[in-house]
Amino acid sequence: MKYLLALAALLTAATTVQQASAQQPWVADRRYGEGIGIRTGDLELHPGISGEFGYDSNYFQRAPSEDVAGALRLRVSPHLTLSTLGAQRRGEETGAGAPPTVNFQAGLSADYNEFFATESRFASDISGQRNLEGSANLKLDILPERPFGIDIHGGFTRVADPSNSAILDAAFNRDMVVVGPGITWRPGGRTFEWRLGYQYTYNFFERQAYKNLNNSEHQVETSGRWRFFPRTAVLYDAEYAFASYSTAKSRNDGQTLRARMGLNGLVTNRFSVLGMLGWAQSYYANTVSPPQNYDNLIAATEVKYFILPQASLEPTAATVGLSSIALGYTRDFRGSYLGDFTQNDRGYLTLEYFSAGSVLLSLQGGLAQISYPKSFYRGIQLNPSFSEIRADAALFGEYRFSDTIAMNGTLRFDGDLSDSVLRTDPNNVTSVDNLKFSRFQAWVGLRWFM
């Protein structure tokens, strides 16, 4: 197994979360995804299950010059959410929608994936990729709408992520545990709001070959909002984080600091604007290789047009409708398993349309430049700094036959449009890996939800 063959697969980490969200067999947004629920005392229960069948043109995300393997894929996904009563049920019961003392939400979900090769020569590689992913999360808000409140959250996620070699022992299957508390201050009728929180994250790689990539992160974060108009607010957020790898050091430990300030609000009844600008720095130690650090701007901006505004929604939020078109740009950086960090510049366009409670349409597309500093292996430079261009597009549509049954379909494209070629062996300059790939996916599914 070449040293960088699997690390090159981790270059997909910048879009892993985005892909997982786009491929959720039930809709991730609770406003769209949940049904009427089941009342159990002072709690709401929202069970559901979905099944999808589809085609994946390049499951291992291989370059055109490599053996591109297509697959048919069956996915079954049960999920369950338990929470305190929502605002609607509270209003029906009390007549005034009195704020609760405690808000509680817990969720469980699982994805079972079965694979079938489209070519017999890949039958063993593809069928061996069957896996079970899952997540569990918990959030507790104490005095959520009072001048002073406390929140506690925690979660567990298992991700099955193959390398482009298809070798199971080289897969990047990993588990993530997140836990943290926070305090929020909301004086004077919630015109001003400020939160201080802490979060601990632990990433655990299941395969023995990558135990040295296990890492933990301590993060202190703060955010605030001052609403000077009913639907316009000044925003602020900042965080300090310290990341440390396992005792068998493979990457540089480091600290990161970032802060942003901006504005979010309505320009007209149908247009909203979000603008955030800030600065970020990293301080990586010379743990195993010469450190590379980030010291540059970070930003987020978005212009959104609401197709079907709903004035009855919460007046303190800029979002006033479920159907919208948005154009945006983000610039950020994050830690990387190849080099110390990546800089991510991405422009995107989204369309969400929800009509008559039965038709849901979601279109998302983006183009990103992901930039990497020099990378080293045991103190020896492996690759110079480089950039890759990533494209992604997803179309999701769903029709609800009733309050509990819906049929949906998904089309998705992901690709690396550049020809970035990386060395995979520090002792052999001819051993390289081409990161270019294109991947198409098509799904049809049926779900039951409450």
Side-chain angles (χ1 to χ4, degrees):
M1 179 61 189
K2 299 174 183 177
Y3 163 72
L4 198 63
L5 188 58
L7 279 185
L10 264 194
L11 296 178
T12 62
T15 54
T16 296
V17 174
Q18 176 189 351
Q19 289 182 12
S21 175
Q23 293 175 359
Q24 284 288 356
W26 69 91
V27 186
D29 193 324
R30 295 182 64 200
R31 299 173 303 171
Y32 303 129
E34 288 186 346
I36 58 177
I38 302 171
R39 173 74 179 267
T40 57
D42 292 330
L43 299 175
E44 289 185 26
L45 192 65
H46 292 273
I49 188 169
S50 66
E52 287 182 302
F53 186 75
Y55 169 71
D56 191 324
S57 70
N58 187 3
Y59 179 68
F60 299 116
Q61 295 191 166
R62 291 171 173 170
S65 59
E66 300 171 339
D67 283 335
V68 176
L72 300 176
R73 188 172 179 179
L74 174 67
R75 178 165 49 199
V76 178
S77 306
H79 64 98
L80 176 67
T81 300
L82 179 67
S83 66
T84 48
L85 298 182
Q88 182 177 356
R89 279 200 166 101
R90 293 203 313 267
E92 292 172 352
E93 183 177 89
T94 65
T101 302
V102 174
N103 273 343
F104 166 84
Q105 181 183 332
L108 292 171
S109 65
D111 288 308
Y112 175 75
N113 294 273
E114 185 69 44
F115 297 87
F116 310 91
T118 57
E119 298 180 61
S120 59
R121 63 193 179 105
F122 295 122
S124 178
D125 286 345
I126 293 296
S127 64
Q129 300 300 317
R130 67 175 59 89
N131 60 70
L132 179 65
E133 299 177 300
S135 66
N137 60 79
L138 172 68
K139 184 175 181 181
L140 181 67
D141 284 325
I142 304 172
L143 304 175
E145 299 178 40
R146 308 300 203 280
F148 180 83
I150 299 173
D151 62 88
I152 302 171
H153 69 277
F156 169 83
T157 303
R158 181 182 191 268
V159 177
D161 192 6
S163 73
N164 58 7
S165 70
I167 299 174
L168 294 180
D169 285 340
F172 272 101
N173 297 350
R174 57 195 183 274
D175 307 297
M176 182 174 70
V177 177
V178 176
V179 63
I183 57 173
T184 303
W185 183 40
R186 313 178 188 91
R190 300 182 66 190
T191 299
F192 174 80
E193 185 173 301
W194 175 77
R195 181 182 183 275
L196 177 65
Y198 164 80
Q199 179 170 287
Y200 173 78
T201 304
Y202 186 75
N203 292 288
F204 173 80
F205 286 79
E206 297 178 1
R207 303 301 183 184
Q208 185 62 38
Y210 306 114
K211 294 294 186 181
N212 59 351
L213 293 179
N214 292 349
N215 63 89
S216 62
E217 182 179 83
H218 300 270
Q219 178 180 305
V220 178
E221 54 189 0
T222 183
S223 60
R225 180 186 68 174
W226 174 53
R227 192 177 73 250
F228 58 92
F229 287 126
R231 296 181 185 271
T232 304
V234 173
L235 306 178
Y236 166 78
D237 61 51
E239 68 177 49
Y240 166 81
F242 174 78
S244 176
Y245 284 82
S246 66
T247 53
K249 298 293 185 181
S250 63
R251 313 300 309 156
N252 288 335
D253 297 339
Q255 305 169 57
T256 59
L257 179 66
R258 68 185 75 204
R260 302 184 306 172
M261 191 171 185
L263 183 74
N264 184 27
L266 287 176
V267 179
T268 70
N269 287 334
R270 288 182 177 266
F271 276 98
S272 76
V273 174
L274 167 68
M276 299 286 288
L277 185 65
W279 199 270
Q281 290 182 303
S282 66
Y283 309 92
Y284 288 101
N286 189 4
T287 309
V288 295
S289 62
Q292 307 292 301
N293 283 302
Y294 184 88
D295 185 7
N296 214 323
L297 288 169
I298 54 175
T301 182
E302 182 180 88
V303 177
K304 181 178 288 187
Y305 173 75
F306 300 102
I307 302 170
L308 299 173
Q310 296 182 1
S312 62
L313 292 188
E314 211 279 304
T316 61
T319 302
V320 294
L322 299 183
S323 300
S324 62
I325 301 174
L327 179 67
Y329 163 79
T330 60
R331 178 178 187 151
D332 203 354
F333 88 104
R334 69 190 70 186
S336 171
Y337 294 109
L338 180 62
D340 287 322
F341 68 88
T342 63
Q343 176 183 304
N344 305 277
D345 293 89
R346 182 174 183 267
Y348 63 89
L349 176 69
T350 65
L351 166 66
E352 292 184 340
Y353 186 79
F354 190 45
S355 177
S358 60
V359 177
L360 171 63
L361 179 67
S362 174
L363 176 64
Q364 305 177 27
L367 188 66
Q369 176 176 287
I370 306 174
S371 304
Y372 299 83
K374 300 175 183 178
S375 60
F376 294 83
Y377 176 62
R378 294 178 179 174
I380 302 174
Q381 181 175 319
L382 192 61
N383 288 287
S385 59
F386 72 98
S387 297
E388 57 174 342
I389 304 298
R390 289 291 188 97
D392 63 271
L395 174 63
F396 175 85
E398 180 174 85
Y399 177 75
R400 298 184 175 182
F401 299 102
S402 68
D403 290 339
T404 58
I405 301 292
M407 176 173 285
N408 54 59
T410 304
L411 296 174
R412 182 170 183 88
F413 168 80
D414 294 282
D416 187 331
L417 308 183
S418 56
D419 284 311
S420 300
V421 178
L422 302 185
R423 286 180 60 185
T424 60
D425 187 341
N427 300 313
N428 185 355
V429 296
T430 64
S431 180
V432 296
D433 188 17
N434 189 339
L435 301 184
K436 186 174 183 177
F437 75 92
S438 61
R439 181 183 184 186
F440 296 90
Q441 298 178 68
W443 302 80
V444 293
L446 185 69
R447 72 183 182 110
W448 171 84
F449 57 97
M450 286 289 292

